[in-house]
Amino acid sequence: MLLAGVAQGCVYALGALGFVLIYKATETVNFAQGDLMMLGGFFALTASVTLGWPYWATILFAVAAMAVVGMLAERLILRPVLGQPAFTVVMITIGLGYVVRGVVTMVPGWGTETYQIATPFVDDVWTLGGVILPVQQLMVIGMTAALCALLYFFFRFSTLGVAMQATSQNQLAAYYMGIPVRRVNMMIWGLSAGVAAFAGILLAPVTFVHSNMGFIGLKAFPAAVVGGFGSVPGAIVGGLIIGVVEALAGFYLPEGFKDVAAYIVVLVVLLVWPSGIFGETGRKKV
Amino acid sequence: MRFIFKTDYAQDIRLAKHGGHLFWYGLLGAILLAAPWWASEYVMSQLHFICIYSIVGFGLMILTGFTGQVSLGHAAFLAVGAYTEALMQAAGVPFAVSISCAAIFSAAAGIIIGLPALRLKGIYLAIATLAFGVVVEEIITRWTKLTGGNEGKHLKPVEILGWKLDSDAEFYYLCLALTVLCCLACVNLLRSPTGRAFVAIRDSEISASCLGVNLAKYKTMAFAISAALTGVGGALYAHKLAFISPEQFTLFQSIELLTIVILGGIGFLHGAVLGAAFIIVLPQLISIAKGWLPEGMAPSGLQAVVFGLILILFIIFEPLGLYGRWLKVRTYFELFPFYRKGMFRRQKSYMKSERLR
């Protein structure tokens, strides 16, 4: 059960990672992250069911397609409000979420039904010293870990990653240092949408693919907040905390607590650490 | 172009700044008062909703538009108001008392969320309010003894001192009167030192606190006032629907309330009314547009698409909302040949990091 919580937490963590990436680079929050996740799931669905591609090709296709969608969204919707207060961006991404959700239900062949994506490792089970480990969940955990390591090294060592961090800390100074801020923003949106697609695919066997899948994104939110926006390890820890707390609440507490557990954790964490557990705070100098 | 030549201090605090105001607001008032005679039953019902949403819009406008605090959990205050009204009416409490209690309990809820909000900013505040909204919704669903859970609660028509307001027209006058009262209260609040403090906090918290504005006090107050107005709106909302259940107070309701403020024009009280009217009329326009869709496309998603698109387009092209558009049109005619394109242009700005505080 703890493992199930961890696996679920990993999915939240991936969702949270999408938030954190965008926050890190542009210091805005993408409320449409869950819907992008859902769109990624549908792309994967089309590739695997309609076109009959293998699982790995499906993942590549969905991630690439979503990266393009993310970049388009940045170019068309976010660029005109570049530099506006965070609230503006929150509302505009909420709008984006509505559009994505609406479009998905209107596309012929997608609609409002629930679908399933076949995965190569659904029912396998490993037994390790008497403990039964479903491979499905281990895969989710493994893939999350791999992706996190990749992103960590990307931000730490690649020029583009460092440029993205610089942009996030001070747009104006980043311009002065010769960083093409707009292009960097566009790339980070692509990257984040790609991560969202990945999360969507990993989530697909658990929740199936349907047009309201994006609401999982609302769970990824608490994950990002608990860990502190702007911190990649924070997102992972936050996701795990939320996943485990939810699993435990579902088991030990009366019905109903499972759904709100995440939000109660958020309220408590925000009361104690106003910018999340791993959030960095600096002092503003006037 | 009108120049107001001020010869008296009283002119500064007068509600109607010049004769034009008196005339146009008078005309609007007369048309609204005469509504039961010219409006069909359907239009009357829409007018009810516009009044109710306007009141909620005022509340949200004070918090978001004037104090600069984002709330994604306003449906929770709406719910507190609605359920207070439902329970009190069931207990036989007179309307005047129950609607005051709806306002007071909502304000108390507002203070509860306002206190932690003192430490939170920007996006963290948005998420804290979102979490609060979700938690309240869940409490309402689960506390079946008090709220009836998913079965909801029924309400009887309003009764004031033995006079039953069960016709559309009577309820309309009640809504209209409360809307006007709330509007006047907001106008007065905003020209008082409290209102100025709100605006100062919105523009810069640091400068406001340097000028002696007690941030904690005024932020909590903004939350309380905003929640109280929303509670009044919620009480009327409950009466209008005559049946309330938890699924009317979800996150989507909160977002819809926020769009009222944004589409109407953030930072203008007029905006709240315009936004409310727009939000009410929009679904009708959409249902007309459904007929034009090509074959094979499910019409169910259209509402979400149009809603989202309108939100995006407004934020990009008309950040001041409907009222901002009206201001531009008015300025164009006032200055007739001299209107310049860039007069209302948004200033270029660079993102200020929220990580520094």
Side-chain angles (χ1 to χ4, degrees):
Chain A
M1 187 190 62
L2 206 61
L3 190 73
V6 171
Q8 186 71 14
C10 277
V11 174
Y12 292 155
L14 277 181
L17 211 57
F19 286 118
V20 168
L21 286 179
I22 288 185
Y23 187 82
K24 240 180 137 47
T26 60
E27 205 146 292
T28 51
V29 174
N30 176 15
F31 267 70
Q33 194 74 30
D35 298 298
L36 292 181
M37 210 154 108
M38 179 261 296
L39 193 60
F42 271 99
F43 275 133
L45 177 80
T46 310
S48 84
V49 177
T50 318
L51 303 177
W53 290 0
Y55 191 62
W56 301 109
T58 304
I59 291 186
L60 280 182
F61 169 73
V63 170
M66 281 312 295
V68 172
V69 170
M71 286 202 253
L72 274 180
E74 197 280 334
R75 182 65 195 88
L76 295 178
I77 298 174
L78 271 301
R79 180 114 13 126
V81 293
L82 182 67
Q84 297 298 319
F87 174 59
T88 318
V89 183
V90 168
M91 287 316 287
I92 217 165
T93 51
I94 287 178
L96 177 65
Y98 268 99
V99 172
V100 169
R101 214 175 310 138
V103 165
V104 164
T105 55
M106 278 165 69
V107 169
W110 288 1
T112 44
E113 271 113 83
T114 303
Y115 303 94
Q116 193 174 3
I117 299 180
T119 48
F121 35 75
V122 171
D123 294 323
D124 296 353
V125 165
W126 285 350
T127 326
L128 195 75
V131 185
I132 299 169
L133 303 172
V135 176
Q136 175 72 50
Q137 294 178 353
L138 287 181
M139 277 305 290
V140 169
I141 296 171
M143 283 196 195
T144 311
L147 190 66
C148 291
L150 202 68
L151 286 173
Y152 176 75
F153 285 115
F154 173 71
F155 270 109
R156 186 81 180 73
F157 295 113
S158 80
T159 321
L160 186 57
V162 174
M164 283 174 177
Q165 289 201 44
T167 316
S168 82
Q169 279 164 11
N170 192 332
Q171 278 184 1
L172 192 56
Y175 265 122
Y176 288 161
M177 292 295 128
I179 295 171
V181 171
R182 294 170 189 203
R183 212 178 315 149
V184 166
N185 278 355
M186 196 155 137
M187 283 178 201
I188 204 100
W189 268 81
L191 183 62
S192 162
V195 172
F198 199 69
I201 295 168
L202 287 187
L203 198 60
V206 188
T207 60
F208 307 114
V209 180
H210 54 90
S211 57
N212 281 338
M213 193 173 152
F215 295 122
I216 301 284
L218 290 178
K219 286 276 174 56
F221 242 135
V225 177
V226 168
F229 272 116
S231 151
V232 171
I236 309 300
V237 174
L240 293 183
I241 291 178
I242 298 284
V244 170
V245 164
E246 233 182 37
L248 292 180
F251 192 72
Y252 290 110
L253 293 174
E255 194 196 349
F257 275 96
K258 187 169 183 280
D259 296 330
V260 283
Y263 295 98
I264 294 175
V265 171
V266 165
L267 282 178
V268 171
V269 167
L270 281 182
L271 270 179
V272 185
W273 298 280
S275 46
I277 296 175
F278 288 86
E280 339 153 15
T281 41
R283 277 273 146 204
K284 188 166 184 171
K285 296 181 193 79
V286 182
Chain B
M1 181 91 203
R2 187 196 305 271
F3 289 101
I4 302 173
F5 185 56
K6 288 185 181 156
T7 50
D8 189 3
Y9 287 121
Q11 266 181 317
D12 259 339
I13 53 173
R14 205 171 287 160
L15 273 180
K17 293 284 178 257
H18 51 80
H21 273 172
L22 275 181
F23 173 73
W24 289 111
Y25 286 119
L27 191 66
L28 178 70
I31 291 175
L32 287 178
L33 275 179
W37 284 276
W38 56 260
S40 65
E41 201 173 313
Y42 173 71
V43 175
M44 283 300 284
S45 162
Q46 300 301 84
L47 283 174
H48 290 161
F49 275 119
I50 292 177
C51 285
I52 293 166
Y53 274 45
S54 300
I55 295 179
V56 180
F58 292 144
L60 204 49
M61 193 62 89
I62 285 188
L63 189 67
T64 306
F66 291 103
T67 321
Q69 311 291 310
V70 186
S71 166
L72 280 173
H74 246 60
F77 303 131
L78 197 70
V80 171
Y83 274 96
T84 310
E85 176 69 19
L87 291 169
M88 290 218 153
Q89 197 196 32
V93 178
F95 178 71
V97 178
S98 65
I99 201 162
S100 321
C101 282
I104 290 168
F105 285 155
S106 289
I111 291 173
I112 291 175
I113 187 65
L115 285 177
L118 298 177
R119 299 185 61 190
L120 303 173
K121 265 191 196 172
I123 210 63
Y124 290 101
L125 178 62
I127 288 156
T129 50
L130 186 152
F132 176 75
V134 174
V135 171
V136 166
E137 186 200 333
E138 195 65 24
I139 290 175
I140 292 172
T141 318
R142 299 287 161 189
W143 198 353
T144 40
K145 228 182 201 170
L146 188 71
T147 62
N150 279 325
E151 283 163 25
K153 278 251 169 222
H154 288 276
L155 283 99
K156 295 188 290 279
V158 185
E159 202 177 321
I160 302 176
L161 301 174
W163 176 32
K164 258 204 161 112
L165 304 174
D166 46 6
S167 77
D168 267 358
E170 285 164 319
F171 186 64
Y172 169 69
Y173 283 127
L174 174 72
C175 290
L176 190 62
L178 280 172
T179 311
V180 172
L181 266 181
C182 290
C183 181
L184 286 179
C186 290
V187 172
N188 269 330
L189 177 77
L190 289 173
R191 50 185 195 155
S192 73
T194 315
R196 309 252 184 242
F198 288 167
V199 174
I201 290 175
R202 174 190 69 186
D203 291 344
S204 162
E205 284 191 12
I206 291 185
S207 342
S209 63
C210 289
L211 289 170
V213 173
N214 184 345
L215 287 186
K217 183 177 146 198
Y218 282 104
K219 273 193 191 175
T220 319
M221 204 192 271
F223 263 99
I225 293 172
S226 169
L229 284 170
T230 312
V232 172
L236 288 177
Y237 186 68
H239 275 299
K240 171 64 197 159
L241 295 179
F243 171 75
I244 49 175
S245 65
E247 65 254 34
Q248 284 151 359
F249 306 105
T250 54
L251 177 63
F252 295 100
Q253 178 74 299
S254 299
I255 292 176
E256 195 172 300
L257 296 179
L258 210 49
T259 40
I260 289 181
V261 179
I262 293 193
L263 297 188
I266 207 147
F268 306 101
L269 281 179
H270 297 82
V273 182
L274 289 175
F278 190 78
I279 284 284
I280 299 298
V281 175
L282 186 63
Q284 267 65 49
L285 297 181
I286 291 175
S287 62
I288 295 172
K290 269 180 190 167
W292 304 336
L293 270 187
E295 289 287 313
M297 281 174 95
S300 53
L302 187 65
Q303 179 144 6
V305 173
V306 173
F307 192 73
L309 271 183
I310 285 179
L311 196 56
I312 292 174
L313 294 178
F314 258 96
I315 293 176
I316 294 179
F317 295 110
E318 193 59 88
L320 292 176
L322 289 170
Y323 189 67
R325 173 48 54 189
W326 157 243
L327 276 185
K328 281 174 204 175
V329 170
R330 197 179 68 186
T331 319
Y332 179 82
F333 284 107
E334 271 182 356
L335 300 176
F336 170 58
F338 300 118
Y339 183 83
R340 310 290 296 213
K341 229 181 157 185
M343 282 177 88
F344 282 91
R345 220 175 61 195
R346 240 193 299 213
Q347 284 193 330
K348 262 216 154 49
S349 66
Y350 292 94
M351 182 88 71
K352 290 186 215 91
S353 179
E354 269 178 18
R355 265 172 242 167
L356 302 171
R357 56 173 75 211

